[in-house]
């Protein structure tokens, strides 16, 4: 079993306990990836999720509405990488909608969940 196959659901201690039970020897790099991550403030995550919800609508008005939501999350926590991804996707999709509405359907583009 590969360590990457173990689902930790955001709970590194669970992956570590599983690794011990299946007697996996962890390298220093693997152990460092299992250390607790910085918690995300609820208002940061909420702003990000609202941006994701609006972004999923996919029309120009919603794309424009998602941008301030992602920016709000980044204003509160500039290290929250998923908000950067959402912002990049919003601008990418906005450019696609501006250039040709059918293009994103034509190429099968979907935002990352």
């Amino acid at each position: 079993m590969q360590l990457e196959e173990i689902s930790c659901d955001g709970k590194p201690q669970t992956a570590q306990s599983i690794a011990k039970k299946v007697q996996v020897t962890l390298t220093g790099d693997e152990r460092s990836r299992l250390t607790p991550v910085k918690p995300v403030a609820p208002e940061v995550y909420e702003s990000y999720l609202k941006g994701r919800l609006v972004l999923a609508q996919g029309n120009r008005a919603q794309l424009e509405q998602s941008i301030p939501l992602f920016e709000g999350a980044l204003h509160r926590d500039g290290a929250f990488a998923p908000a950067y991804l959402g912002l990049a996707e919003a601008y990418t999709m906005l450019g696609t909608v501006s250039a040709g509405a059918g293009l994103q359907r034509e190429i099968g583009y979907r935002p990352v969940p």
Side-chain angles (χ1 to χ4, degrees):
M1 175 181 288
Q2 295 286 330
L3 184 60
E4 293 80 26
E5 294 173 12
I6 298 172
S7 173
C8 65
D9 297 329
K11 299 178 184 174
Q13 67 278 6
T14 303
Q16 287 177 344
S17 65
I18 292 171
K20 287 178 186 173
K21 287 180 183 177
V22 296
Q23 299 177 347
V24 173
T25 303
L26 300 175
T27 66
D29 181 48
E30 289 169 332
R31 189 173 310 283
S32 69
R33 290 187 302 177
L34 296 176
T35 58
V37 295
K38 176 185 156 205
V40 177
E43 61 273 5
V44 171
Y45 198 63
E46 181 179 352
S47 185
Y48 163 73
L49 289 178
K50 285 180 181 177
R52 275 275 168 224
L53 179 65
V54 174
L55 180 67
Q57 304 301 314
N59 67 45
R60 185 177 182 85
Q62 267 72 27
L63 294 174
E64 290 173 350
Q65 288 176 359
S66 72
I67 291 170
L69 293 166
F70 293 126
E71 288 174 339
L74 291 169
H75 178 71
R76 292 181 188 98
D77 184 353
F80 187 59
Y84 284 105
L85 174 63
L87 190 58
E89 286 181 321
Y91 279 117
T92 299
M93 291 176 70
L94 190 57
T96 302
V97 168
S98 297
L103 183 59
Q104 72 186 48
R105 280 190 304 273
E106 187 177 313
I107 62 173
Y109 179 79
R110 295 263 187 235
V112 175

